[in-house]
Amino acid sequence: MAAVVNELLYVLNPRRVLADDLLNVLHAIAFAAWGILMVKPQSGLARKVTHLVPLGFAFFYATMFAYNLPHMSTSPDFSVRSLIGLISSDNHVFVWAWSHYLCFDLLVGRIIADDAHRRGIPHFLIVISLLLTLFYGPCGFVFHHVVGLMY
């Protein structure tokens, strides 16, 4: 039984894949989900995609965490300099950290789309908010709330 578990862990090990390839796959999935959200934010497909894709990113993040945990220091240093050093020192750690942003930015995009729909904000302003959130994170969230003051 232990041999089967070890083989499964080996097969599922995200470190067996090149970091650039992982990042390309994550970006392709994220851009597809964002595209669906921007074109038809209230469709059933957009709702499912903006739930399942972040869930998949979260699963990927948790898997990467499990594989990186044995390599982490026993007394973690959460200083900014230490975290930036860790992220920039290993491409797989960068992909792991980036998946966190992909996951949560898409969830924020879903929140923006739902709130904009409730307020009756025109679609083109929703798209601007979503594009800003996709590329500049919090700037899109702020933009949405500034626009929301008018509706």
Side-chain angles (χ1 to χ4, degrees):
M1 181 66 174
V4 171
V5 170
N6 284 337
E7 184 64 26
L8 184 60
L9 288 174
Y10 175 76
V11 169
L12 294 176
N13 182 354
R15 285 190 165 271
R16 290 182 53 227
V17 180
L18 292 175
D20 287 345
D21 293 339
L22 284 172
L23 198 58
N24 289 338
V25 169
L26 292 175
H27 279 159
I29 293 168
F31 283 134
W34 277 98
I36 292 167
L37 182 61
M38 284 181 212
V39 172
K40 291 292 237 172
Q42 297 305 314
S43 70
L45 177 62
R47 291 196 174 282
K48 287 177 185 165
V49 165
T50 55
H51 176 77
L52 294 175
V53 169
L55 184 61
F57 288 157
F59 179 77
F60 174 80
Y61 182 88
T63 303
M64 290 293 285
F65 180 78
Y67 278 99
N68 286 302
L69 192 58
H71 307 292
M72 296 174 128
S73 170
T74 55
S75 58
D77 178 4
F78 290 105
S79 68
V80 172
R81 185 177 304 224
S82 176
L83 290 173
I84 290 173
L86 176 64
I87 290 169
S88 63
S89 68
D90 183 332
N91 288 341
H92 282 90
V93 173
F94 174 80
V95 173
W96 169 35
W98 193 250
S99 69
H100 179 279
Y101 289 105
L102 293 174
C103 176
F104 283 101
D105 283 357
L106 188 54
L107 290 173
V108 171
R110 175 78 264 156
I111 291 167
I112 288 170
D114 287 344
D115 185 60
H117 178 71
R118 277 191 299 278
R119 292 175 186 235
I121 295 174
H123 185 74
F124 81 95
L125 291 172
I126 297 171
V127 171
I128 293 170
S129 296
L130 293 175
L131 282 170
L132 286 170
T133 303
L134 170 61
F135 291 111
Y136 303 107
C139 295
F141 193 60
V142 169
F143 179 82
H144 168 70
H145 283 281
V146 169
V147 168
L149 294 173
M150 295 179 263
Y151 291 89

